[in-house]
Amino acid sequence: MEQRYRTEDYAICEYVLEADASGKTDATPALQGLIDRAAEAGGGVIWCPEGTYRFEGSLRLKKGVTLRGDWKSPLKTGKKVAGTVFAVYGGRGSEDGPSFITMEKVTGVVNMSFWYPEQKPENVVPYPWTLSSTDNSSCGYTVRNVNFVNSYKALSNGADDGMCYNVAFYSGLYGCPLKQGIYLHHVLDITRLEHIFFGPDYWSKSGLAGAPASPREQTTLRNYLFDNADALTVGRFDWMPLYDAEIDGYRTGLLFINNEFGCPNGNIYNVRIHHGQTALRADAVSPYGWCISNSSFTVDRRPGACAVRLSKDCKGGPLMFYGCTLGRVEAEKGSAAAFSFMECRFEQDVDLKGGDCAMFRCVKEGPAVINLPPGDNIVDPGAPEHYGSARKAADIKPLGALPLHKSPPFFRPASREVFDVRDFGALGDERTDDTAAFAAALARAGAKGGTVYVPAGRYVVSAPLTVPSGAELRGINEGPAHTMVPCSCIIVKTSPGTEEGAFLSLSENSSLRGVCFWYPRARFDRETRFPWTVKALGKNCQVRDVSLGNSWQGMDFASAADTSGHEIAGVTGCCVRRGIFVDNAPRGGVVENCQLVVHYWDRNDSGLASEGPALTGLVPDVNNAMRRQSESFVFGDCRGERVLSTFSYASRKGLTL
């Protein structure tokens, strides 16, 4: 296979789409056949080379399968589309039809663009969702580096049936969705959203045929979005993290709604919504509230436009704004929401007819007027001079002064060589001991670096392993892994008894990615101690998209003399005693998008073998064991450590510093 554009990581794919890349012939049968073939093998990554592929039907992305294309970010091309393009013709005129791609659990769509060639800005036609999730109470959806050029409805996470869809990773999403960008609903523990960019330029500057290039067409498109399109709609969502987004020109940029399942709460950082009709509208807020910081919500100065609107039915909260720039803010009469503003800048009027409000160290620009609600309010009682004086704006030091967090780059091994463990005798049949095959492949990679590749399978390993410097041990997962579909699964068949040592050690400057670990001898009904699953032996070790299914102890990045430069991202699992420990990092590192909760053990519907009683549903024994003794995240001497979007549930200690 040929990868034209340099991306963050090397693509390793066992399956290649061989179809007409000129956009003239329907590629639906070819790709669906390849998906079926990969799913039958337990999962895999399908490479879709650069080109334009025509699709007249819909696709079902089956368990364990990822579609990956050639890619260049539109932020680096002036928003021009480059790489792999799926041209969607099916579903025209049928908004409620089947999604173009329905994603089953533990699947991925990575590095590609979706384009609807027959869509016109002056005559927008309904289409079904481009991507949607399925399988009730399931996990492991990854959508990363995807351009929804002109989707009518881009990405649904529970919109169609209201079922419960958990633990997805949506990162690097671009485009100009024409009715609905992202719909998130009934999401529990938890889905992550980061780097979301929606606006008309992603279609008009795409360089694709029929793009609205003239000033008249561009004005028509902007007016349509302003009157008809919602970028991000959030229903029931527990602890939603939204980081780094820019929404331009939508009727509603961010909408909080309520229904029979409840309403959302979470945290928002570095989100910019502007030029639309309403930037943020809250119809409902969970009692756990929202923390919104280092963000800006502004709108065009058109009649009725509002940056932040709390509807009359909105209750709960609080909504806490910190270090934000805000256009017009309204709370409708009858609203029972609680909200606060700290170190915020108001560019337009604040008209609060309802709710309860607190303001601290805020400034307003020029003639802006602040009208407070009739209830009990707290308004900076010690420093009222901060209101009404534009020159005081210099006193406010918002979070914008801080540098934005930059996600760690993917590890690049010292060579492009790939060592497939099957070529060294591994079978992955859950019966044969594959220890010698893994050790031999790692030894070969130790000579000059490279990737030891673990295809889909269940590989029994009965002795400790070490990844050499300059090498990576890599499975098929291109996003956070889950034991529901274990894909590249390492069955740790060592004996319980001691906590000392580690099963897998990472040499300095090495990496582990895209695999699941499972301990068949671990029991939830009684204590079964094991060494650490993963241990860093030195600096610059990376672990990404790894599931610690039922580890006793997860990751030791603490005991080596210097663990600086560590990069831990997308690590998930149920660690009964210890989760992720970091220490001895005088130059810091990164821990992001990591999740330690019980269901990586108890949602074992993949049939992974386990001693002791059978697991059925949410087992109180596992929860109780974690509540009794587990420590999820521990940080010691870490100077300049960056931690983002980590999550822990049912642990005795969630975060220890």
Side-chain angles (χ1 to χ4, degrees):
M1 69 181 216
E2 180 180 352
Q3 184 175 350
R4 176 177 177 184
Y5 298 106
R6 178 184 172 92
T7 50
E8 298 175 300
D9 63 334
Y10 298 132
I12 297 180
C13 311
E14 291 185 73
Y15 306 91
V16 178
L17 175 61
E18 297 178 353
D20 176 18
S22 68
K24 297 178 181 178
T25 306
D26 184 14
T28 308
L31 184 51
Q32 186 62 62
L34 205 55
I35 291 170
D36 296 346
R37 180 179 151 202
E40 288 173 4
V45 180
I46 297 174
W47 174 251
C48 304
E50 182 189 27
T52 299
Y53 299 89
R54 181 186 184 102
F55 290 92
E56 297 176 5
S58 58
L59 299 168
R60 190 172 186 89
L61 192 57
K62 296 185 177 179
K63 299 174 186 177
V65 181
T66 294
L67 302 179
R68 175 166 177 154
D70 215 344
W71 168 262
K72 193 167 185 180
S73 167
L75 297 182
K76 296 180 179 180
T77 64
K79 300 185 174 63
K80 187 175 181 179
V81 171
T84 302
V85 179
F86 280 13
V88 184
Y89 289 84
R92 177 177 172 83
S94 177
E95 179 177 354
D96 298 325
S99 302
F100 170 53
I101 298 180
T102 299
M103 302 175 68
E104 295 184 0
K105 62 183 75 173
V106 193
T107 54
V109 177
V110 177
N111 291 3
M112 61 179 56
S113 299
F114 296 103
W115 171 46
Y116 290 73
E118 296 181 319
Q119 193 64 272
K120 307 295 180 186
E122 64 276 7
N123 182 28
V124 173
V125 175
Y127 282 85
W129 292 99
T130 301
L131 301 179
S132 68
S133 52
T134 187
D135 297 331
N136 186 25
S137 194
S138 63
C139 306
Y141 308 101
T142 295
V143 181
R144 177 167 57 86
N145 294 346
V146 168
N147 189 348
F148 300 94
V149 177
N150 60 347
S151 296
Y152 186 70
K153 300 189 298 185
L155 173 61
S156 161
N157 196 107
D160 292 336
D161 53 17
M163 293 296 186
C164 178
Y165 301 110
N166 308 314
V167 197
F169 180 58
Y170 301 137
S171 177
L173 308 187
Y174 308 84
C176 175
L178 298 173
K179 179 180 180 181
Q180 182 71 65
I182 303 173
Y183 190 107
L184 300 142
H185 172 54
H186 208 178
V187 180
L188 318 177
D189 299 346
I190 66 176
T191 283
R192 289 154 174 91
L193 296 97
E194 60 182 34
H195 314 309
I196 313 295
F197 302 91
F198 289 158
D201 287 352
Y202 290 96
W203 185 12
S204 62
K205 296 182 179 181
S206 67
L208 296 170
S214 71
R216 179 186 60 79
E217 290 175 321
Q218 292 178 17
T219 299
T220 298
L221 176 59
R222 281 195 169 272
N223 289 339
Y224 182 88
L225 296 177
F226 188 90
D227 292 333
N228 299 283
D230 300 325
L232 181 56
T233 300
V234 188
R236 165 71 184 276
F237 197 133
D238 295 351
W239 326 114
M240 169 182 167
L242 173 60
Y243 171 70
D244 186 30
E246 184 165 13
I247 309 297
D248 176 24
Y250 277 74
R251 176 178 65 183
T252 310
L254 179 58
L255 173 61
F256 300 152
I257 63 173
N258 189 21
N259 59 24
E260 68 272 24
F261 297 106
C263 49
N265 67 283
N267 60 87
I268 292 172
Y269 185 85
N270 190 41
V271 170
R272 293 92 55 205
I273 304 178
H274 47 85
H275 298 146
Q277 188 173 148
T278 303
L280 167 60
R281 190 179 104 201
D283 291 343
V285 178
S286 161
Y288 301 107
W290 285 87
C291 179
I292 303 170
S293 53
N294 194 43
S295 297
S296 63
F297 301 93
T298 59
V299 289
D300 285 354
R301 293 177 182 264
R302 301 193 197 184
C306 185
V308 177
R309 174 174 283 120
L310 309 177
S311 76
K312 61 180 175 25
D313 298 319
C314 185
K315 59 184 179 180
L319 286 100
M320 300 177 289
F321 294 86
Y322 179 68
C324 294
T325 297
L326 303 166
R328 181 174 177 81
V329 178
E330 293 182 359
E332 297 177 352
K333 185 177 181 180
S335 173
F339 41 93
S340 64
F341 305 92
M342 178 179 285
E343 298 195 2
C344 291
R345 183 188 307 272
F346 298 107
E347 295 184 342
Q348 294 176 262
D349 292 350
V350 178
D351 188 10
L352 308 178
K353 297 183 176 67
D356 295 303
C357 177
M359 289 186 178
F360 301 93
R361 287 183 55 78
C362 294
V363 295
K364 63 187 183 67
E365 301 289 349
V369 175
I370 296 177
N371 295 318
L372 297 173
D376 295 328
N377 305 295
I378 303 172
V379 184
D380 214 7
E385 70 276 7
H386 285 295
Y387 293 93
S389 176
R391 62 186 178 86
K392 288 290 184 179
D395 296 338
I396 305 303
K397 304 295 183 186
L399 288 176
L402 296 173
L404 293 177
H405 167 75
K406 188 173 182 180
S407 296
F410 284 78
F411 177 85
R412 284 181 174 263
S415 84
R416 291 293 304 271
E417 287 202 53
V418 176
F419 306 96
D420 190 325
V421 294
R422 293 173 300 188
D423 295 337
F424 293 82
L427 297 181
D429 60 5
E430 204 172 0
R431 297 184 302 275
T432 306
D433 192 326
D434 292 321
T435 307
F438 273 71
L442 289 165
R444 284 284 301 277
K448 57 180 179 179
T451 297
V452 174
Y453 177 62
V454 185
R458 301 184 182 190
Y459 301 85
V460 174
V461 180
S462 58
L465 301 171
T466 299
V467 181
S469 181
E472 68 174 347
L473 180 64
R474 178 171 170 181
I476 69 172
N477 284 94
E478 297 265 342
H482 202 291
T483 50
M484 282 183 152
V485 184
C487 294
S488 302
C489 185
I490 297 175
I491 307 292
V492 184
K493 212 141 192 191
T494 56
S495 298
T498 180
E499 294 183 344
E500 301 303 316
F503 170 70
L504 182 75
S505 296
L506 294 173
S507 302
E508 184 171 303
N509 191 36
S510 67
S511 172
L512 171 68
R513 176 181 172 190
V515 301
C516 284
F517 292 97
W518 184 259
Y519 289 74
R521 292 172 177 167
R523 298 176 66 116
F524 67 85
D525 59 328
R526 66 170 182 253
E527 191 174 276
T528 47
R529 301 185 175 202
F530 288 91
W532 294 94
T533 301
V534 180
K535 177 178 180 177
L537 299 178
K539 297 179 288 186
N540 303 322
C541 295
Q542 183 177 106
V543 180
R544 184 185 291 269
D545 300 332
V546 166
S547 182
L548 310 168
N550 58 346
S551 296
W552 175 256
Q553 301 181 113
M555 296 177 51
D556 173 12
F557 275 64
S559 60
D562 189 347
T563 64
S564 297
H566 56 266
E567 297 169 345
I568 304 169
V571 172
T572 62
C574 173
C575 299
V576 180
R577 179 64 185 92
R578 296 182 177 91
I580 298 174
F581 276 37
V582 181
D583 198 357
N584 300 325
R587 292 186 293 107
V590 177
V591 177
E592 68 174 22
N593 294 320
C594 294
Q595 171 146 320
L596 302 177
V597 299
V598 64
H599 65 64
Y600 290 89
W601 188 339
D602 74 15
R603 290 185 186 170
N604 178 18
D605 57 355
S606 58
L608 286 167
S610 184
E611 295 183 4
L615 289 161
T616 55
L618 190 66
V619 181
D621 301 79
V622 180
N623 272 339
N624 291 339
M626 294 182 67
R627 289 191 175 103
R628 184 171 58 249
Q629 61 195 353
S630 68
E631 301 172 88
S632 289
F633 298 95
V634 178
F635 295 91
D637 181 9
C638 312
R639 304 171 201 176
E641 188 78 13
R642 289 175 289 155
V643 183
L644 176 75
S645 291
T646 59
F647 186 81
S648 170
Y649 173 78
S651 59
R652 178 171 178 263
K653 295 180 180 179
L655 173 65
T656 301
L657 304 178

